Amino acid sequence: MTLVAIFSGAGISTDSGIPDYRGPNGVWRRNPAAEKLVTYDTYMNDPDVRRRSWLMRRDSPAFRARPNVAHRAVAELDRAVDGEVRVITQNVDGLHQLAGTPARKVLELHGTARAVVCTGCHARSTMEEAMARVEAGEDDPPCTECGAVLKSATVMFGQRLDPQVLGQALSITKACEVFIAVGTTLQVQPAASLAGIAAEHGARLLIVNAEPTPYDEQADEVIREPIGTALPELLKRFHAN
């Protein structure tokens, strides 16, 4: 049985109306100051940053976004393939799951923006619950259990990836026969190194991205076509006959 790993970045969700971060028109290039809103130390120590962060979450297109044809193509591959499909994603939007890929087959390296976690007692709740409090007038809602600072259940700048999740990603990467990196610049470490690790362990490395990546020379194939058309066509190669 063939194990296919899909490693997705922000580029797979741009057709859903969610801007990427490091592309030519990415969020960080257009507004470098926005990084402060998702930098852990700044967020924890500056109430004004937290207030602006909650407003950013309230206005984010991610919560209104729907899966696009690329997300659906991944879910279709999972249903059609004679083997195993695993998704390792840098995204926090939950669109792979909404498209139909089972949650147990999706590893969210950077967490999820659809949940909220307390930085004190680690209690979790939904982002919808937190947003309802913001809409009701709480500009920096504290934890209802212990009163500590709340944050989205994402990995902010300055935080380490969950070692258990990263370990699972490494295991999948080393075991897969095909590793498809889609919509990612492959620049954010340690996640980006998965592409190289896959190639070193004998996987076919396929890269679908508009811009060059540091791993293009190691790839068996690099595709520069728009993801919405290129990825569905590519994944059809792996459907069971």
Side-chain angles (χ1 to χ4, degrees), residues 76-96:
E76 289 167 8
L77 175 66
D78 177 61
R79 291 190 291 268
V81 75
D82 182 18
E84 290 289 338
V85 174
R86 291 293 185 272
V87 175
I88 305 168
T89 186
Q90 294 174 291
N91 299 338
V92 298
D93 52 39
L95 294 182
H96 281 295

Side-chain angles (χ1 to χ4, degrees), residues 100-159:
T101 301
R104 65 183 178 83
K105 294 188 175 184
V106 180
L107 278 177
E108 296 175 307
L109 288 177
H110 296 156
T112 176
R114 295 182 180 272
V116 171
V117 63
C118 173
T119 58
C121 69
H122 308 296
R124 289 174 73 97
S125 57
T126 67
M127 181 60 74
E128 287 80 3
E129 292 173 290
M131 284 294 102
R133 294 173 63 188
V134 172
E135 293 290 350
E138 295 185 63
D139 57 5
D140 182 17
C143 175
T144 57
E145 299 291 328
C146 72
V149 171
L150 290 182
K151 66 178 288 292
S152 63
T154 57
V155 178
M156 289 183 164
F157 290 119
Q159 287 188 290

Side-chain angles (χ1 to χ4, degrees), residues 6-40:
I6 310 288
F7 180 55
S8 65
I12 198 172
S13 293
T14 54
D15 283 349
S16 293
I18 302 175
D20 66 9
Y21 296 97
R22 290 177 174 79
N25 297 306
V27 172
W28 305 145
R29 293 197 184 188
R30 289 186 287 106
N31 182 16
E35 286 196 34
K36 292 182 179 180
L37 304 183
V38 289
T39 298
Y40 185 77

